[in-house]
Amino acid sequence: MAKKKGRLDFVNMKKNGEQVTWVTAYDFPMASFVEAAGIDMILVGDSLGMITLGYDSTIPVTMEDCISHCKAVRRGAPNTFVMGDMPFGSYQKSDEQAVENAVRFFKEANVDAIKLEGGVRVESRIKAMADAGMLVCGHIGLTPQSSGPLGGFKAQGLDPESARYVIEDALAVERAGAYALLVEAIPPELTQFIAKKLSIPVYSIGGGGPCDGQLLICGDMIGMFQAFTPKFVKVYANVAETITNAFKEFAGDVRTGKFPGEEHFYRVRKGMEEEYAAMLKEYE
Ligand code: KIV
């Protein structure tokens, strides 16, 4: 079993130009598959609202949802670096609220780090959480919790003016004391620039590369989330089709009497068949 990686491993990986592999997971079985595959980090993203709870955005996701899913993931992947995602409403009010909720992730779900969305506007939040001794990852570019103000799930930093905002956000995240940064849906030129400019590891989801590692959402990459697939996703499996076909086959087997078969029965204890039949007869 590979040793669980920590912050210093990720710093060294950046120094050595080694790519970090990172996926989301939300429950025990998925987390155990991720760990078995030797992936470096797991994000228990608030994308769980869309991928597993059926919401059409991440906004309704609560602290309780996130903590409960983080706990399941931790049980499934005890030897993998797990990051919890601060849901909308858990850090918007004040630095104190942010610290209080971040602490819950570490105490109740035993995560290794937490992530929150935003750059300049959450600088004091990141600083407060980092000063309280927690590993914080920033998340800039397309930030799904603000997809309303951003005009939808849209790529960011595509022109010089908006790229400037992304750079300012990146600088703010590092200045505030985050240990890592995630950039989402920005052009590769900008991702590469930020990864070189910052001394902390810079990871990408939909930001191309090169940078220090890549994240994908499990529901997208294994073909489980059906509503839409972002342009930046590479689909490695069609789990939805596999599962639907399994259910269809089961339904067919039951309807035609093919299931259950001999091999699925429990047998009456050997030598007791006659006695058993007689007992049943008593109840006829
Ligand atoms: O919630 C999540 O999975 C995320 C990704 C979109 C980066 O924050």
Side-chain angles (χ1 to χ4, degrees):
M1 187 194 305
K3 178 184 149 290
K4 180 178 162 184
K5 292 193 172 79
R7 187 184 73 82
L8 291 179
D9 297 297
F10 299 129
V11 168
N12 283 332
M13 286 172 82
K14 177 175 176 104
K15 270 195 205 137
N16 301 334
E18 245 180 282
Q19 290 291 297
V20 163
T21 56
W22 190 13
V23 297
T24 66
Y26 315 105
D27 56 25
F28 177 91
M30 195 65 79
S32 65
F33 303 150
V34 174
E35 183 158 300
I39 297 281
D40 297 311
M41 302 203 289
I42 294 177
L43 171 65
V44 186
D46 63 352
S47 52
L48 69 89
M50 298 170 78
I51 309 287
T52 70
L53 301 180
Y55 296 133
D56 59 7
S57 80
T58 57
I59 301 302
V61 175
T62 63
M63 271 300 292
E64 279 61 38
D65 292 330
C66 287
I67 299 268
S68 153
H69 284 268
C70 278
K71 282 176 164 176
V73 166
R74 173 49 83 211
R75 288 190 288 269
N79 298 304
T80 303
F81 189 93
V82 172
M83 185 185 296
D85 209 5
M86 304 276 294
F88 183 72
S90 69
Y91 60 95
Q92 274 73 10
K93 229 196 230 164
S94 64
D95 293 352
E96 291 69 27
Q97 182 209 24
V99 170
E100 205 171 293
N101 280 320
V103 164
R104 282 192 64 192
F105 272 98
F106 288 86
K107 285 181 88 80
E108 294 176 36
N110 193 19
V111 299
D112 299 292
I114 39 116
K115 173 173 89 55
L116 78 171
E117 296 184 7
V120 172
R121 72 188 155 80
V122 294
E123 193 173 340
S124 72
R125 304 287 191 274
I126 296 176
K127 182 165 171 21
M129 293 188 281
D131 285 351
M134 292 175 271
L135 284 186
V136 184
C137 178
H139 176 177
I140 62 169
L142 167 55
T143 45
Q145 289 173 10
S146 5
S147 60
L150 291 177
F153 293 99
K154 288 202 175 126
Q156 302 293 308
L158 301 183
D159 56 66
E161 198 191 333
S162 65
R164 210 180 271 284
Y165 282 108
V166 179
I167 292 171
E168 289 299 331
D169 278 341
L171 295 173
V173 167
E174 180 165 65
R175 199 165 51 227
Y179 89 97
L181 172 67
L182 173 68
V183 297
E184 176 166 357
I186 61 172
E189 294 88 336
L190 190 52
T191 302
Q192 186 177 10
F193 176 81
I194 292 170
K196 276 201 175 146
K197 179 90 185 151
L198 301 194
S199 56
I200 58 175
V202 175
Y203 306 121
S204 148
I205 177 164
C211 57
D212 304 311
Q214 295 291 329
L215 166 68
L216 278 181
I217 291 187
C218 64
D220 292 334
M221 64 179 290
I222 64 171
M224 202 169 66
F225 183 63
Q226 301 284 284
F228 61 89
T229 305
K231 172 185 164 62
F232 56 75
V233 173
K234 180 169 176 186
V235 179
Y236 290 86
N238 193 339
V239 163
E241 192 178 286
T242 305
I243 294 174
T244 308
N245 285 343
F247 290 144
K248 279 185 185 164
E249 207 178 319
F250 164 72
D253 281 357
V254 171
R255 287 175 190 134
T256 58
K258 259 169 113 183
F259 178 85
E262 283 279 320
E263 67 277 30
H264 308 116
F265 298 165
Y266 297 100
R267 290 280 168 208
V268 170
R269 223 162 251 140
K270 267 215 168 349
M272 301 192 98
E273 293 84 353
E274 271 178 35
E275 197 181 327
Y276 205 95
M279 180 278 295
L280 289 180
K281 214 162 176 50
E282 277 175 34
Y283 285 93
E284 272 178 5

